[in-house]
């Protein structure tokens, strides 16, 4: 069914008008991209539409002020994001992306918190070639960003069992089925002849979705994809799937109308109903989320305002059948994917911790060699790390030696808090960052490690998530500890989430200077050391005591 969602377009946000007038994501993109690297960035419309094609125009924020002072324009470039359902690449695809990093980007690959790969600092003259190279590797950047269904996530573990096979297959099927149908991407980036009549978008309609839409699929024993942070989730259940709706992280400081949210369990569906239910939930977001205000346009606000019963009724009406209410969500957990593991089919995988997902220098060389020599296939994890799968046991010693030769540290040499830490990109490329992210990761980590070490707690699993702004790209509001950029050098600290990602944390302290993060957490960590129940996690302890009690703790001497 084709539904026009252009009604009342005049009250809608500028992005809605740009989409409506774009003729299926075309706009003036082809013309603007073919102009030489000119002074100034692209038009607002082109900037907005490019996201759907998987790329953001950015500028180097480190040099912007200096350049302005001497009358020079910003140093413009593009971030390109590759959509990688389930984080799975072939060895050949990795090698193609590795080559692209060298020829068109800054020589690094950036593994993302949604199992994707990003490239930074691609110049306008190279953008089309870079995207075409991604396509030639049988990958795509289409719908890696934009108001559409984004990359679909699942557990990265390459376990050879029926559950994991099904999770992978469903994830990849959903990702492919929910891609936009417009051929604009192929025309603008891949040299396809323009269609005489641009086709329709049967699912999305002419204005696509009000906002980004994210999906993850998990088994309760492995919630490493943080399913409850997604607009739509599928949680494995003996009788099918529990459907969860309305998760999301983004908020704005001092705007209580914006908030992170853990998804609600809405229905229990059969094992084979994933795609039709996913399409119904996408239609629900398309038709009911707020197109007038992009800060209020995610599906989570619809759920917060209208509730689970309403959502189930809308979905039932759409699907033409009743839906079983969901049972309570099962207890979730997160296994350790790092180091060597038996896949269950006679092969092994090696989990490598990659701080902030930044693949550069000797690590990049080591991965390239490992993949080329040993036929390992790479899997990007939702934790910005990499698994090398399908390794023959006989190759294990040589692969270990290769990693050691390039000084790639085994995961076991990192503390658990380091291994599970997430940090977003932030400066210098991210236009939204208020403070540093990835670049101060070592500093934030060292401060937290020092406080844990003081109490002999360095072996504990604590999830620490750092972002340069409240948009929440490292899912900071689900962590035991969230460190969220507030202003240059200042952060808001959150505590009280749980390691399994099923509970939101709460603010502990605001406007904390970067160098005081450890000291601010110190009394809380000390209280945990002294007063935790047997085996109680840091976030669980904080949630049990509550914000007021934690804030009243005496500061460390
Ligand atoms: Fe994100 C915007 C990076 C995962 C919530 N995110 C951005 C942009 C594109 C900045 C911008 O709008 O100009 C960042 C690009 C930085 C750069 O220079 O590369 C950016 N987001 C990332 C990545 C690369 C973080 C990372 O370090 O790994 C992740 C890419 C994932 C991928 O491969 O698709 C990334 N972003 C997330 C997640 C985590 C997730 O999806 O599990 C979230 C929180 C979940 C959610 O969506 O609610 C997230 N990003 C946002 C938001 C806030 C959305 C909201 O509802 O308010 C924005 C801003 C926006 O959309 O306006 C944003
Ligand atoms: Fe940028 Fe903010 Fe996302 Fe970090 S959390 S990458 S600063 S948008």
């Amino acid at each position: 069914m084709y539904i026009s969602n252009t009604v009342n377009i005049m009250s809608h946000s500028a992005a809605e008008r740009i989409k409506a007038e774009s003729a299926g994501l075309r706009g003036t993109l082809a013309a603007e991209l073919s102009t030489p690297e000119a002074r100034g960035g692209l038009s607002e419309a082109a900037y907005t539409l490019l996201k759907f094609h998987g790329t953001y125009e950015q500028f180097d924020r480190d040099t912007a002020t200096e350049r302005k002072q001497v009358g020079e324009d910003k140093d413009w470039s593009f971030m390109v994001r590759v959509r990688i359902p389930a984080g799975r690449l072939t060895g050949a695809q990795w090698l193609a992306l590795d080559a692209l990093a060298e020829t068109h980007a800054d020589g690094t690959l950036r593994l993302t918190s949604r199992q994707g790969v990003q490239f930074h600092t691609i110049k306008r003259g190279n953008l089309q070639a870079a995207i075409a190279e991604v396509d030639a590797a049988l990958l795509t950047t289409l719908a890696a960003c934009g108001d559409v269904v984004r990359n679909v996530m699942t557990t990265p573990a390459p376990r050879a069992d029926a559950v994991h096979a099904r999770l992978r297959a469903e994830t990849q099927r959903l990702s492919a089925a929910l891609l936009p149908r417009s051929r604009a991407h192929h025309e603008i980036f891949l040299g396809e002849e323009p269609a005489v009549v641009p086709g329709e978008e049967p699912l999305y309609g002419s204005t696509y979705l009000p906002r980004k839409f994210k999906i993850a699929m998990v088994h309760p024993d492995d919630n490493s994809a943080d399913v409850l942070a997604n607009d739509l989730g599928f949680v494995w259940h003996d009788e099918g799937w529990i459907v969860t709706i309305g998760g999301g992280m983004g908020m704005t400081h001092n705007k209580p109308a914006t908030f992170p949210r853990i998804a609600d369990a809405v229905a229990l569906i059969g094992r084979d109903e994933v795609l039709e239910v996913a399409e119904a939930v996408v239609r629900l977001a398309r038709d009911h989320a707020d197109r007038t205000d992009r800060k209020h346009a995610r599906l989570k606000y619809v759920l917060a305002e209208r509730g689970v019963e309403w959502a189930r009724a809308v979905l039932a009406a759409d699907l033409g059948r009743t839906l079983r209410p969901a049972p309570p969500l099962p207890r979730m957990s997160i296994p350790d994917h790092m180091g060597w593991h038996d896949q269950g089919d006679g092969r092994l995988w090696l989990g490598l911790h990659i701080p902030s997902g930044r693949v550069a220098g000797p690590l990049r060389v080591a991965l390239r060699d490992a993949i080329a020599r040993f036929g390992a296939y790479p899997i990007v994890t939702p934790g910005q790390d990499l698994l090398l799968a399908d390794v023959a046991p006989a190759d294990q010693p040589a692969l270990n030696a290769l990693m050691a030769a390039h000084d790639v540290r085994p995961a076991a040499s990192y503390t658990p808090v380091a291994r599970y830490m997430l940090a977003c990109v932030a400066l210098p490329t991210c236009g939204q960052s208020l403070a540093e992210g990835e670049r101060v990761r070592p500093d934030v980590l060292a401060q937290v490690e020092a406080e844990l070490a003081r109490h002999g707690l360095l072996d504990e699993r604590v999830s620490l998530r750092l972002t340069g702004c409240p948009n929440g790209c490292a899912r900071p509001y689900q962590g035991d500890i969230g460190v969220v950029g507030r202003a240059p050098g200042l952060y808001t600290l959150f505590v009280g989430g749980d390691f399994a990602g099923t509970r939101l944390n709460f603010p502990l302290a605001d406007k904390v200077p970067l160098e005081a993060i450890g000291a601010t957490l110190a009394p809380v960590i000390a209280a945990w050391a002294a007063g935790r129940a047997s085996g109680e996690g840091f976030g669980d302890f904080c949630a049990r005591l509550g914000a007021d009690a934690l804030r009243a703790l005496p500061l460390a001497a």
Side-chain angles (χ1 to χ4, degrees):
M1 181 174 44
Y2 177 78
I3 295 193
S4 167
N5 34 30
T6 55
V7 190
N8 292 329
I9 193 86
M10 295 318 289
S11 66
H12 288 174
S13 66
E16 291 300 313
R17 287 195 288 280
I18 290 167
K19 287 183 276 182
E21 291 162 8
S22 73
L25 307 177
R26 289 172 180 81
T28 55
L29 281 183
E32 289 199 44
L33 290 176
S34 64
T35 57
E37 196 91 338
R39 287 174 70 87
L42 298 165
S43 68
E44 185 194 351
Y47 175 84
T48 302
L49 293 175
L50 268 182
K51 296 182 193 176
F52 291 79
H53 298 281
T55 177
Y56 271 72
E57 189 178 46
Q58 303 181 318
F59 60 88
D60 180 5
R61 293 185 57 189
D62 282 348
T63 57
T65 308
E66 206 177 287
R67 290 170 75 102
K68 192 172 177 192
Q69 280 162 356
V70 295
E72 281 182 22
D73 190 15
K74 293 164 177 151
D75 184 5
W76 296 98
S77 65
F78 291 87
M79 175 272 273
V80 168
R81 184 181 291 167
V82 186
R83 178 183 176 100
I84 306 174
R88 299 201 144 228
L89 293 162
T90 63
Q93 287 171 333
W94 178 273
L95 297 177
L97 297 183
D98 177 87
L100 194 157
E102 196 62 42
T103 49
H104 297 314
D106 60 1
T108 75
L109 296 93
R110 177 56 159 74
L111 313 185
T112 77
S113 57
R114 285 196 75 77
Q115 300 185 288
V117 171
Q118 281 191 184
F119 298 98
H120 289 104
T121 70
I122 296 182
K123 290 294 173 187
R124 190 186 298 185
N126 292 335
L127 181 64
Q128 279 149 304
I131 289 179
E133 279 173 33
V134 170
D135 185 79
L138 303 181
L139 293 164
T140 189
T141 66
L142 176 62
C145 320
D147 299 341
V148 279
V149 174
R150 305 287 192 87
N151 193 34
V152 185
M153 286 208 283
T154 192
T155 165
R159 292 197 182 282
D161 61 39
V163 172
H164 284 78
R166 186 72 186 247
L167 283 166
R168 279 197 292 280
E170 292 282 1
T171 298
Q172 289 167 330
R173 189 165 76 104
L174 268 187
S175 179
L178 299 172
L179 278 172
R181 294 284 186 267
S182 167
R183 300 302 292 175
H185 189 75
H186 306 73
E187 294 164 18
I188 297 165
F189 295 99
L190 309 175
E192 187 175 285
E193 279 301 313
V196 182
V197 183
E200 286 180 345
E201 290 283 4
L203 177 62
Y204 291 121
S206 58
T207 46
Y208 294 81
L209 299 182
R211 211 54 168 89
K212 55 177 71 167
F213 189 102
K214 298 181 172 178
I215 306 180
M217 308 192 73
V218 301
H219 187 282
D221 291 345
D222 186 349
N223 185 32
S224 48
D226 277 336
V227 66
L228 302 179
N230 287 262
D231 297 87
L232 169 60
F234 294 93
V235 179
W236 187 277
H237 182 273
D238 286 346
E239 295 173 45
W241 304 93
I242 299 176
V243 180
T244 62
I245 303 185
M249 292 281 106
M251 61 164 226
T252 306
H253 290 301
N254 293 330
K255 285 222 169 105
T258 66
F259 46 82
R261 188 169 191 274
I262 290 288
D264 296 305
V266 168
L268 176 62
I269 63 162
R271 188 75 71 223
D272 296 329
E273 295 176 336
V274 168
L275 180 55
E276 57 178 320
V277 171
E279 287 180 342
V281 179
V282 170
R283 285 191 287 270
L284 190 153
R286 181 192 69 187
D287 299 341
H288 295 279
D290 184 355
R291 288 184 188 261
T292 65
D293 176 2
R294 288 183 69 76
K295 293 263 177 220
H296 186 249
R298 291 294 289 273
L299 182 57
K300 65 181 175 182
Y301 296 112
V302 178
L303 263 287
E305 285 153 25
R306 310 190 81 162
V308 171
E309 300 298 327
W310 174 88
R312 192 184 314 112
V314 171
L315 293 174
D318 180 307
L319 292 163
R321 61 170 187 272
T322 53
L323 284 171
R324 281 168 74 182
L329 278 169
R331 195 183 151 80
M332 307 243 197
S333 55
I334 298 190
D336 186 357
H337 296 129
M338 297 293 102
W340 285 102
H341 294 261
D342 191 343
Q343 294 179 183
D345 58 358
R347 298 260 163 173
L348 305 173
W349 91 75
L350 173 62
L352 294 167
H353 170 54
I354 300 183
S356 294
R358 186 67 71 177
V359 177
L363 169 66
R364 208 184 114 207
V365 178
L367 292 177
R368 198 166 58 213
D369 285 0
I371 288 162
R373 273 177 57 194
F374 301 107
Y377 72 83
I379 305 170
V380 182
T381 77
Q384 303 170 326
D385 292 325
L386 195 73
L387 311 184
L388 292 177
D390 239 7
V391 178
D395 290 334
Q396 188 178 8
L399 190 43
N400 280 336
L402 173 68
M403 291 297 152
H406 290 284
D407 293 327
V408 177
R409 285 174 59 183
S413 72
Y414 292 93
T415 62
V417 68
R419 263 157 58 178
Y420 289 99
M421 185 173 180
L422 290 176
C424 78
V425 178
L427 292 163
T429 51
C430 177
Q432 308 250 3
S433 55
L434 305 173
E436 295 280 356
E438 181 177 338
R439 292 197 296 199
V440 297
R441 181 189 183 282
D443 193 349
V444 172
L445 174 63
Q447 291 185 48
V448 173
E449 283 181 335
E451 294 309 323
L452 291 172
R454 207 184 299 285
H455 302 284
L457 295 167
L458 259 187
D459 290 334
E460 293 290 328
R461 295 207 311 178
V462 175
S463 60
L464 171 60
R465 295 171 171 199
L466 165 68
T467 59
C469 87
N471 280 329
C473 298
R475 300 185 287 274
Y477 313 113
Q478 279 174 310
D480 287 310
I481 304 172
V483 179
V484 176
R486 182 76 157 86
L490 297 178
Y491 294 83
T492 308
L493 299 190
F494 294 79
V495 294
D498 63 338
F499 194 84
T502 64
R503 186 177 60 224
L504 288 178
N505 50 26
F506 51 83
L508 173 74
D510 196 17
K511 297 188 184 164
V512 177
L514 171 65
E515 58 281 5
I517 289 172
T520 309
L521 289 169
V524 185
I525 292 173
W528 177 46
R532 67 191 295 212
S534 168
E536 189 175 33
F538 180 65
D540 295 335
F541 170 79
C542 292
R544 177 162 66 81
L545 262 67
D548 291 342
L550 295 179
R551 289 188 199 122
L553 288 170
L555 284 176

